[in-house]
């Protein structure tokens, strides 16, 4: 690994001019070769085609953190990658809850209620919760040291993240205003939107027996494993279903199987290891992208992929700092809230450690000692390369790691990117540290079709968002519109005719059904029918009486609540805090800003004031009161309304007679009189 010059470590962008709309195609100062392994002539049509395509289609990389959204617009030009424009939008730190506007006084000041006051310790953007105020947060990253190897869990904080719809739309609108409409967009997630789970895979007996058939082949495989653990770690391939089943055992939260990625890790104690990259339940990017697609003009924005911070940093390090297969590399990303340590053995991931209590506010010696501790705990031998990424005091960190690792090559990741041809947007403006993962997403998108891409093939973007939603062309000619209108009215006519005929048929059927099939006009038969009707009438009346007894007072509590709400709103500036049934009806406690309003509220409730006290809150008078109000048992208004409607219907109902008169009206039989 080449050590960066001092100028690269202290100042970025000093060797390149402004990179605006016209992109320079000259090679970088160190003569770095193109990333692609295909050798093409500068004048070949394929390379010219690729250059024109890259110049006309920049890629937008977006890095979503817990407090901000960072974007970077990158365009490829030959062997260089120009940063056209950086973006930064602060992320909302408030919960997505609508404030209670009804709790405002007429003067416009919020009243002092139980949920009105929020005490914030420290910076709101730091995401510091009440749990982090105790010393437990200082040692949270050391909990996994003594844990078993298969019980690795990331120590990311659990907090609900807010959607980033408006931030993304603002960035895309700014890209469109700059002349780059709907660029291909790729996203990188950080903690707590993504979690990392280490999985241990046990060998099958069949695989073990096949491996032990030949000692010679086993020794050869072991030697090859030591030479290049990334290409052939000496283990058979593991099916994704098996990894998902193992993840369900180790990970407690629900997850979408299609959005989980698995990164191979170095074996430990003869067992295969994988790092599962899982979007956390608090992740809101997928929901934000769905909402963004519904915005005007955003339906056809191409979303390429969603990756995580660890795979992107590993890919950038592989590309910017090529190493030998036997070398160990430590990637240290120091932020304002946490520190991420990634250990590599050759080209393969060995360990990931997220330290929440270590940040840029700590001294370089503290950070270096914590990294050295992780190196010893994880059993990593000599560290040959150290790559540092920090937004503040990066030079001091580089010098500190150089002192802790005198035999290692120490460099800054931003300097390595500049050396590989990533041109900053200005000659005296460096690459912001917060946008490095976004640059990684843009480079990954540009290099995704290359066979030797240094980035992992990770895509946590839901399948439903990978395709563009195109608007349907609903424009029609005039004759098509006329034919459609005629067809509509024709269908409407025949549907109306059908329902009219069905009504006539039903009416005729009702007249036919009015005639009884057989008429029994004997006296005992008629008397039996009369008795049956009278018994049915008595049963119905008894049932109605029981229903009436059940209905009376059934809605007295809902009526009491409605009456209380109406009385409090009519009185004004009266709040009821307690509403408890009592022997007399209701016992209510509440507050008011005026004593007259308490009296007015008691009169509207027909209640009596039992207790009244006065206090001042924020220099405003507050009257605490307790009153008893009666609640009467009455028939529900709905039941009364239905009874009135039934009585009106009975009064207006006419008996149904067959056409031509009742056939029994003029019938006279002596048996009936008997």
């Amino acid at each position: 690994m080449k050590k960066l010059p001092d100028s690269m470590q202290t100042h970025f962008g000093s060797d390149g001019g402004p990179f605006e709309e016209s992109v320079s195609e000259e090679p970088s100062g160190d003569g770095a070769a193109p990333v692609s392994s295909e050798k093409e002539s500068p004048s070949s049509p394929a390379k010219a085609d690729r250059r024109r395509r890259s110049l006309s289609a920049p890629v937008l990389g977006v890095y979503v953190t817990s407090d901000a959204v960072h974007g970077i617009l990158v365009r490829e030009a030959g062997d260089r990658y120009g940063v056209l424009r950086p973006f930064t939008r602060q992320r909302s730190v408030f919960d997505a809850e609508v404030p209670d506007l009804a709790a405002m006084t007429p003067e416009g000041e919020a009243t002092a209620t139980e949920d009105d006051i929020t005490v914030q310790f420290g910076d709101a953007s730091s995401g510091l919760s009440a749990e982090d105020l105790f010393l437990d947060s200082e040692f949270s990253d050391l909990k996994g040291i003594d844990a078993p190897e298969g019980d690795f869990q990331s120590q990311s904080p659990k907090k609900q993240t807010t959607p980033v719809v408006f931030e993304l739309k603002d960035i895309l609108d700014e890209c469109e205003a700059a002349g780059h409409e709907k660029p291909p967009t790729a996203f990188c997630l950080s903690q707590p939107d993504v979690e990392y789970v280490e999985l241990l895979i046990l060998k099958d007996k069949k695989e073990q027996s096949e491996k032990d058939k030949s000692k010679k082949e086993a020794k050869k495989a072991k030697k090859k494993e030591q030479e290049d653990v990334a290409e052939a770690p000496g283990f058979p391939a593991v099916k994704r279903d098996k990894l998902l089943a193992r993840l369900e055992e180790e990970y407690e939260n629900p997850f979408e199987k299609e959005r989980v990625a698995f990164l191979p890790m170095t074996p430990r104690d003869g067992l295969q290891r994988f790092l599962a990259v899982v979007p956390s339940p608090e992740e809101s990017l997928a929901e934000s992208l769905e909402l963004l697609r519904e915005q005007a003009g955003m339906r056809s924005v191409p979303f390429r992929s969603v990756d995580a911070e660890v795979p992107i940093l590993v890919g950038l390090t592989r590309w910017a700092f090529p190493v030998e297969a036997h070398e160990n590399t430590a990637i240290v990303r120091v932020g304002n809230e946490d520190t991420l340590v990634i250990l590599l053995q050759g080209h393969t991931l060995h360990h990931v450690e997220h330290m929440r209590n270590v940040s840029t506010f700590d001294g370089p010696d503290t950070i270096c000692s914590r990294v050295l501790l992780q190196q010893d705990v994880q059993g990593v031998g000599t560290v040959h390369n150290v790559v540092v990424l920090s937004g503040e005091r990066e030079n001091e960190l580089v010098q500190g790691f150089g002192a802790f690792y005198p035999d290692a090559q120490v460099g800054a990741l931003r300097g390595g990117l500049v050396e590989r041809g990533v041109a900053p947007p200005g000659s005296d403006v460096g690459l912001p540290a917060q946008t490095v993962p976004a640059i990684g997403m843009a480079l990954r998108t540009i290099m995704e079709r290359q066979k030797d891409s240094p980035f992992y093939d990770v895509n946590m973007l839901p399948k439903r968002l990978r395709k563009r939603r195109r608007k349907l062309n609903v424009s029609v000619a005039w004759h098509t519109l006329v034919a459609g209108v005629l067809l509509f009215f024709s269908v409407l006519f025949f549907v109306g005719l059908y329902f009219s005929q069905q009504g006539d048929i039903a009416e005729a059927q009702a007249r036919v059904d009015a005639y009884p099939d057989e008429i029994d006009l004997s006296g005992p038969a008629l008397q039996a029918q009369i008795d049956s009707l009278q018994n049915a009438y008595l049963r119905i009346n008894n049932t109605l009486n029981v229903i009436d007894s059940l209905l009376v007072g059934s809605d007295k509590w809902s009526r009491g609540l409605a009456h209380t709400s109406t009385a409090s709103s009519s009185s004004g500036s009266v709040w009821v805090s307690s509403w408890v049934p009592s022997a007399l009806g209701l016992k209510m406690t509440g507050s008011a800003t005026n004593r007259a309003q308490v009296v007015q509220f008691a009169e509207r409730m027909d209640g009596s004031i039992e207790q009244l006290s006065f206090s001042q809150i924020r220099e405003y008078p507050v009257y605490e009161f307790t009153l008893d109000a009666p609640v009467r048992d009455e028939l529900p208004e709905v039941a009364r309304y239905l009874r009135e409607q039934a009585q009106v219907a009975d009064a207006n109902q006419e008996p149904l007679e067959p056409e031509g008169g009742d056939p029994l009206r003029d019938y006279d039989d002596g048996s009936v009189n008997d």
Side-chain angles (χ1 to χ4, degrees):
M1 174 178 174
K2 298 181 180 180
K3 187 174 183 180
L4 294 176
D6 295 337
S7 60
M8 288 291 184
Q9 299 178 7
T10 57
H11 181 71
F12 302 101
S14 60
D15 60 338
F19 197 99
E20 302 296 340
E21 300 300 327
S22 60
V23 183
S24 174
E25 297 183 3
E26 297 179 359
S28 57
D30 61 345
V35 177
S36 177
S37 59
E38 300 178 359
K39 296 182 179 180
E40 296 180 324
S41 174
S43 59
S44 64
K47 189 170 184 179
D49 236 2
R50 183 169 59 85
R51 284 183 177 178
R52 284 194 299 270
R53 185 170 62 252
S54 62
L55 286 174
S56 59
V59 178
L60 176 63
V62 179
Y63 177 46
V64 181
T65 65
S66 60
D67 56 355
V69 178
H70 305 281
I72 203 81
L73 200 61
V74 179
R75 170 181 288 169
E76 181 186 10
D79 301 336
R80 297 177 65 85
Y81 302 89
V83 177
L84 300 181
R85 187 184 296 257
F87 311 92
T88 297
R89 297 294 183 271
Q90 293 299 320
R91 192 171 181 180
S92 174
V93 298
F94 302 102
D95 293 337
E97 296 182 357
V98 179
D100 186 9
L101 299 180
M104 301 296 291
T105 62
E107 291 80 5
E109 297 292 336
T111 58
T113 61
E114 191 175 308
D115 301 328
D116 285 340
I117 301 176
T118 301
V119 181
Q120 177 68 47
F121 297 94
D123 189 6
S125 62
S126 63
L128 188 64
S129 62
E131 298 177 357
D132 297 326
L133 297 178
F134 193 62
L135 293 177
D136 182 51
S137 62
E138 298 295 329
F139 306 97
S140 59
D141 62 324
L142 298 179
K143 293 180 180 179
I145 293 180
D146 298 330
E149 297 295 337
D151 296 338
F152 171 82
Q153 292 284 352
S154 64
Q155 303 293 334
S156 59
K158 301 290 185 181
K159 59 181 180 180
Q160 183 67 31
T161 58
T162 56
V164 290
V165 183
F166 299 106
E167 292 84 350
L168 295 178
K169 188 177 185 301
D170 194 13
I171 293 176
L172 290 172
D173 289 341
E174 188 171 344
C175 291
E176 183 177 359
H180 309 290
E181 184 178 3
K182 297 180 178 63
T185 308
F187 304 90
C188 179
L189 295 177
S190 65
Q191 292 175 318
D193 291 330
V194 68
E195 296 182 356
Y196 305 99
V197 183
E198 182 180 324
L199 303 178
L200 290 176
I201 307 299
L202 301 177
K203 291 184 180 180
D204 296 338
K205 295 181 179 180
K206 183 177 179 181
E207 297 173 355
Q208 183 68 24
S209 61
E210 291 179 354
K211 184 179 178 182
D212 295 340
K213 285 183 179 180
S214 176
K215 294 183 180 180
K216 185 176 180 181
E217 293 179 358
K219 292 181 180 180
K220 185 177 180 181
K222 184 177 180 181
K223 182 178 180 182
K224 192 173 183 180
E225 176 187 345
Q226 295 176 354
E227 294 176 354
D228 192 358
V229 295
E231 296 296 333
F235 291 91
V238 181
K239 293 183 178 181
R240 181 177 175 83
D241 294 340
K242 184 176 180 180
L243 294 175
L244 290 173
R246 190 74 179 91
L247 179 60
E248 291 178 352
E249 299 174 0
E250 296 293 335
Y251 189 62
E252 298 178 354
N253 297 326
F255 61 89
E256 299 180 30
K257 293 183 178 181
E258 66 173 12
R259 301 188 62 193
V260 179
F262 297 96
L263 308 181
M265 302 180 69
T266 56
R268 178 174 294 176
D269 298 333
L271 299 177
Q272 287 180 276
R273 293 192 303 155
F274 289 86
L275 184 67
V277 184
V278 188
S280 64
E282 295 81 13
E283 181 262 337
S284 60
L285 179 62
E287 178 186 359
S288 301
L289 296 182
E290 291 181 354
L291 296 176
L292 183 64
R293 280 278 173 85
E294 303 300 330
Q295 302 295 321
M298 299 295 168
R299 185 177 297 271
S300 59
V301 175
F303 301 144
R304 290 295 182 84
S305 60
V306 175
D307 210 327
E309 184 180 15
V310 170
I312 289 300
L313 292 180
V314 173
L316 287 174
T317 303
R318 289 175 177 175
W319 180 66
F321 303 98
V323 298
E324 299 295 334
H326 65 279
E327 294 182 347
N328 298 325
T329 304
I331 306 173
V332 183
R333 192 271 297 154
V334 184
N336 295 331
E337 300 179 3
D338 58 358
T339 296
L340 186 65
V341 179
I342 306 173
L343 301 178
L344 304 177
Q345 287 187 355
H347 303 286
T348 308
L349 184 64
H350 180 73
H351 182 69
V352 176
E353 186 69 26
H354 180 230
M355 298 183 290
R356 287 185 295 169
N357 61 308
V358 180
S359 63
T360 54
F361 301 102
D362 297 305
D365 295 342
T366 302
I367 298 174
C368 295
S369 61
R370 298 300 293 273
V371 174
L372 186 60
L373 174 62
Q374 289 299 324
Q375 173 192 350
D376 296 338
V377 171
Q378 300 304 324
V380 179
T382 303
V383 174
H384 304 86
N385 311 288
V386 179
V387 180
V388 181
L389 175 63
S390 177
E392 299 179 5
R393 301 194 301 178
E394 189 173 72
N395 296 332
E396 298 180 13
L397 288 173
V398 171
Q399 295 175 2
F401 278 105
F404 271 76
Y405 298 94
D407 298 331
Q409 301 292 334
V410 183
L413 181 57
R414 289 188 286 176
L417 295 177
V418 173
E419 193 176 22
R420 287 302 301 266
V422 179
S427 58
D428 53 351
V429 179
L431 297 175
Q434 297 82 359
T435 61
V436 169
I439 294 175
M441 288 305 303
L443 295 177
R444 178 188 183 274
T445 304
I446 294 173
M447 302 178 188
E448 62 184 0
R449 295 185 178 180
Q450 297 181 5
K451 295 182 179 179
D452 57 346
S453 174
F455 295 94
Y456 288 103
D457 187 13
V458 175
N459 192 355
M460 296 182 291
L461 183 67
K463 293 182 179 179
R464 61 183 180 275
L465 296 175
R466 297 183 186 181
K467 296 181 179 179
R468 300 187 188 183
R469 294 185 181 178
R470 301 185 181 275
K471 292 184 179 180
L472 297 177
N473 186 9
V474 294
S475 59
V476 294
W478 66 270
H479 49 80
T480 306
L481 183 60
V482 172
V485 172
L486 292 177
L487 180 62
F488 172 75
F489 282 106
S490 300
V491 172
L492 187 62
F493 169 75
F494 285 108
V495 169
L497 182 61
Y498 169 78
F499 283 107
S500 177
Q501 292 178 352
Q502 290 294 323
D504 295 341
I505 294 173
E507 185 178 355
Q509 186 67 36
R511 290 196 302 268
V512 173
D513 294 339
Y515 293 95
D517 296 336
E518 296 181 359
I519 301 177
D520 187 4
L521 302 179
S522 63
L526 292 178
Q527 187 63 38
Q529 292 182 3
I530 294 173
D531 295 340
S532 176
L533 292 175
Q534 289 179 350
N535 292 332
Y537 174 75
L538 293 176
R539 288 196 304 270
I540 292 174
N541 283 338
N542 294 332
T543 305
L544 290 177
N545 293 332
V546 173
I547 294 176
D548 290 345
S549 64
L550 294 176
L551 289 176
V552 172
S554 61
D555 64 336
K556 65 178 182 179
W557 301 122
S558 59
R559 286 188 293 101
L561 285 173
H563 190 195
T564 303
S565 177
T566 303
S568 61
S569 61
S570 300
S571 302
S573 300
V574 175
W575 298 268
V576 177
S577 60
S578 176
W579 197 83
V580 181
S582 64
L584 299 178
L586 291 175
K587 179 178 289 295
M588 290 180 288
T589 59
S591 306
T593 57
N594 195 337
R595 182 168 55 186
Q597 293 169 347
V598 177
V599 177
Q600 188 177 6
F601 176 70
E603 291 177 352
R604 285 189 171 91
M605 292 298 298
D606 296 334
S608 58
I609 300 175
E610 299 295 334
Q611 183 178 358
L612 181 65
S613 60
F614 172 77
S615 62
Q616 285 188 347
I617 300 177
R618 294 184 179 177
E619 299 181 359
Y620 284 92
V622 176
Y623 292 87
E624 304 287 342
F625 62 88
T626 301
L627 60 86
D628 291 332
V631 178
R632 300 177 179 85
D633 294 338
E634 297 178 357
L635 189 65
E637 186 177 353
V638 176
R640 291 199 299 269
Y641 174 78
L642 293 177
R643 283 191 174 184
E644 292 174 359
Q645 295 297 322
Q647 293 174 359
V648 172
D650 292 340
N652 297 332
Q653 185 178 6
E654 296 181 357
L656 180 62
E657 294 185 0
E659 186 176 355
D662 188 358
L664 302 179
R665 178 178 301 171
D666 300 329
Y667 184 81
D668 189 7
D669 188 1
S671 61
V672 176
N673 296 328
D674 295 339

